[in-house]
Structure formats: C-alpha cells, structure tokens
Amino acid sequence: MILDRLGPIIQNAFVVRDLDAAVTAWTKLGIGPFFAIHDSTYAVTRYRGAVGTADFSVAIGFWNDFQIELIVQRCDKPSVYREFLDDGQEGFHHVLTTTDDMDGLIVTLGEVGHELLADVDIGENGRVIYFRPAGQRWPLIEVGAFHPPIHALFDMMKEAARDWDGTDPLRVIG
C-alpha cells in the first residue's frame, strides 16, 4: 500500500505569481518568518520524461510544525509549476510528504496507475518526485527523500517561527 511508504504530510505548497504579495498575505495571519531562496534550480530534473531545469523562487514559513511553501516560476520552461499556471491555476498546488524508499514507491505508483510527473535530483540534499493520483488533475503530491542538510534547514526555519515577533518577515537565504 502506498500510504505505508509515506510519512505524514508536512507541507502545503502554493504556486503564486507574486511572491512578495503572497508572503504579505500569509504573514498577516501571523505565519512567518518566510525564508526565500531565489534563482533556485535543481541538479537534474526530469519532467514528463524530459531533462530540463526551470528557474523559480520559493519562500517557506512555518505554521507551528507545518510548512507553507510559496513558489514563483521565473521562466517559461516546462515544469509542474508552469503546467499548473498554464491550466489557469494559481494557489494550492501540492502537499509534501517523505519516504525512505523512493525507488520502491515509484514502482508502486506505476503499478496502481498514478502519474509520475517529475523526478528531481536535489544533489547533496536528496531527491523529490511529484505525482498525480489516478483520475485527479490538482493538487499533486510531492514526496521527498531528504538528506540531513534539508532537515537542518527545516529545523532552523521552524525554530525561527517559534518566537517570531513579526519583524523581518522575508529573509533571503542561499
């Protein structure tokens, strides 16, 4: 069973057209600070079987122990984000969960008819995939097999959110 291979959902992600406006909206709820990584690319991305890398920015903030990720694609290259925008969508795009057995999970997804859209090598940080459950268009499910540097980054962000006083709502890292 697929759920037996997955951890809990740790993030809701939103594809937006204006990162600053999205951060402002979320921080008005008291969520923050957000940590932005601009000019993000991955080591290797396979989107619908083709190799390519899109340019995007992300900002991650924590709502207690739960992540809110905001994503802006900054180019027209094919990606799971561009496909969403080209469908006329903006907003809730995917949830994030984790696995300890990415290769086994991918085999199982194919066996039950789920569509693997992207397989992303994030170098020393691990690997993520995006898949679409059978019969569903949006939202997607992202699954990460993360190495220690990503866990440390998430822990730093979560700790910053614990006692956040509303100042410096968008902090650039990377």
Side-chain angles (χ1 to χ4, degrees):
M1 176 165 212
I2 293 173
L3 288 181
D4 294 339
R5 296 176 182 265
L6 301 175
I9 293 173
I10 61 172
Q11 175 196 86
N12 282 346
F14 301 82
V15 172
V16 299
R17 296 181 192 278
D18 184 331
L19 189 63
D20 291 330
V23 167
T24 297
W26 283 95
T27 57
K28 284 181 180 179
L29 293 171
I31 298 167
F34 279 82
F35 292 86
I37 302 170
H38 295 297
D39 302 320
S40 294
T41 57
Y42 294 126
V44 177
T45 299
R46 285 181 180 77
Y47 168 70
R48 296 191 171 276
V51 176
T53 300
D55 177 29
F56 58 96
S57 293
V58 300
I60 297 173
F62 272 82
W63 180 344
N64 297 316
D65 291 333
F66 195 75
Q67 290 180 23
I68 300 297
E69 180 182 39
L70 308 171
I71 304 159
V72 173
Q73 183 161 328
R74 298 160 26 122
C75 67
D76 289 331
K77 292 180 181 177
S79 75
V80 293
Y81 315 129
R82 175 58 47 208
E83 183 177 329
F84 185 69
L85 294 167
D86 289 349
D87 270 1
Q89 302 291 315
E90 183 175 5
F92 183 49
H93 181 264
H94 68 265
V95 297
L96 170 64
T97 184
T98 60
T99 188
D100 293 327
D101 181 16
M102 186 68 81
D103 292 329
L105 175 64
I106 290 171
V107 169
T108 303
L109 292 173
E111 290 172 350
V112 298
H114 296 318
E115 181 182 11
L116 180 65
L117 295 174
D119 190 341
V120 182
D121 176 354
I122 55 175
E124 68 182 19
N125 296 318
R127 179 179 177 195
V128 298
I129 63 168
Y130 290 84
F131 76 92
R132 176 176 286 142
Q136 180 175 313
R137 187 83 180 138
W138 308 106
L140 302 179
I141 298 174
E142 178 185 18
V143 182
F146 298 123
H147 296 166
I150 288 290
H151 292 292
L153 179 65
F154 291 165
D155 288 345
M156 179 276 297
M157 293 173 178
K158 187 186 307 183
E159 186 60 33
R162 280 196 215 294
D163 299 317
W164 184 54
D165 63 3
T167 59
D168 197 15
L170 184 60
R171 303 168 187 189
V172 177
I173 59 174

